[in-house]
C-alpha cells in the first residue's frame, strides 16, 4: 500500500513540475502567436520546444548532483535574461515597423533560440531530479509532452487574439515576454 502511494506521489510531483515548466512555453507561444503564425509553424515550433523539454532535463538528470547547487540559480537568471532580450526586441521591432528585423520564429535559428529560452529551466530541474533518482523516461516524456502541448495552446491562443489586435499584437507579445523575463529575475 505504501509503495503504491509513494509511486503515485512521485508521478503527481512529476506531472505538476511538467505543467509548471510548460507554462514558459505557453507564455512564449502567446507572445509569438500575437505576431501571427501559421498552423505549419505552430507544429514545427511546438515540436522543437517539446524536444528541448526532453533533452534539457535529460541532460540535467545525467549531470546530476555534481553541479546542482551552482546551476540552479544561474539557469533561471539566463532564462530570464533571454526572455527579456526577446521581449525587448519584439517591442522595439513592432514600434520601429519594418525597419528592424525581428527574430524570425519560422527560421531554424529563431526556433532554436525560442526553444532554448523556455527549456533552460528544465535543465536545472533535471539536475535536482537526477539527485533524487526520479524515473528518467517518465520524467522526460512528460516534460516533453507538456512543453509541446502547452506551446501549441499558447500559439493558438495568441494567433486567435492577434486577429483582433492587428498591428499591436507583436508589441503585446513582447510585453508578455518582458514580464515573464522580469519574473524570472526577481
Amino acid at each position: 500500500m505504501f509503495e503504491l502511494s509513494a509511486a503515485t506521489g512521485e508521478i503527481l510531483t512529476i506531472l505538476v513540475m511538467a505543467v509548471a515548466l510548460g507554462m514558459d512555453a505557453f507564455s512564449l507561444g502567446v507572445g509569438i502567436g500575437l505576431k501571427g503564425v501559421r498552423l505549419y509553424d505552430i507544429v514545427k515550433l511546438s515540436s522543437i520546444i517539446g524536444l528541448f523539454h526532453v533533452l534539457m532535463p535529460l541532460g540535467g538528470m545525467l549531470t546530476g548532483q555534481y553541479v546542482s547547487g551552482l546551476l540552479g540559480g544561474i539557469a533561471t537568471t539566463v532564462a530570464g535574461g533571454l526572455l527579456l532580450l526577446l521581449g525587448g526586441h519584439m517591442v522595439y521591432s513592432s514600434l520601429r515597423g519594418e525597419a528592424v528585423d525581428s527574430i524570425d520564429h519560422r527560421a531554424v535559428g529563431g526556433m532554436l533560440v525560442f526553444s532554448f529560452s523556455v527549456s533552460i529551466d528544465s535543465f536545472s530541474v533535471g539536475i535536482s531530479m537526477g539527485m533524487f533518482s526520479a524515473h528518467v523516461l517518465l520524467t522526460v516524456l512528460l516534460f516533453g509532452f507538456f512543453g509541446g502541448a502547452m506551446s501549441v495552446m499558447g500559439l493558438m491562443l495568441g494567433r486567435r487574439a492577434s486577429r483582433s489586435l492587428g498591428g499591436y499584437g507583436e508589441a503585446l507579445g513582447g510585453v508578455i515576454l518582458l514580464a515573464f523575463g522580469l519574473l524570472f529575475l526577481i
Side-chain angles (χ1 to χ4, degrees), residues 14-74:
I14 293 170
L15 275 171
V16 168
M17 285 191 292
V19 170
L21 291 171
M23 291 304 289
D24 293 343
F26 177 81
S27 63
L28 176 80
V30 171
I32 292 174
L34 286 168
K35 291 175 65 172
V37 64
R38 300 177 314 176
L39 290 176
Y40 177 68
D41 295 327
I42 290 173
V43 171
K44 284 192 323 187
L45 185 58
S46 297
S47 297
I48 293 175
I49 288 173
L51 179 65
F52 267 71
H53 269 78
V54 168
L55 296 177
M56 295 295 279
L58 182 61
M61 291 175 95
L62 294 176
T63 303
Q65 61 191 6
Y66 298 113
V67 290
S68 67
L70 173 67
L71 280 182
I74 291 173

Side-chain angles (χ1 to χ4, degrees), residues 159-175:
R159 180 177 186 235
R160 181 160 295 176
S162 75
R163 293 183 185 141
S164 60
L165 292 174
Y168 299 105
E170 184 175 3
L172 181 59
V175 169

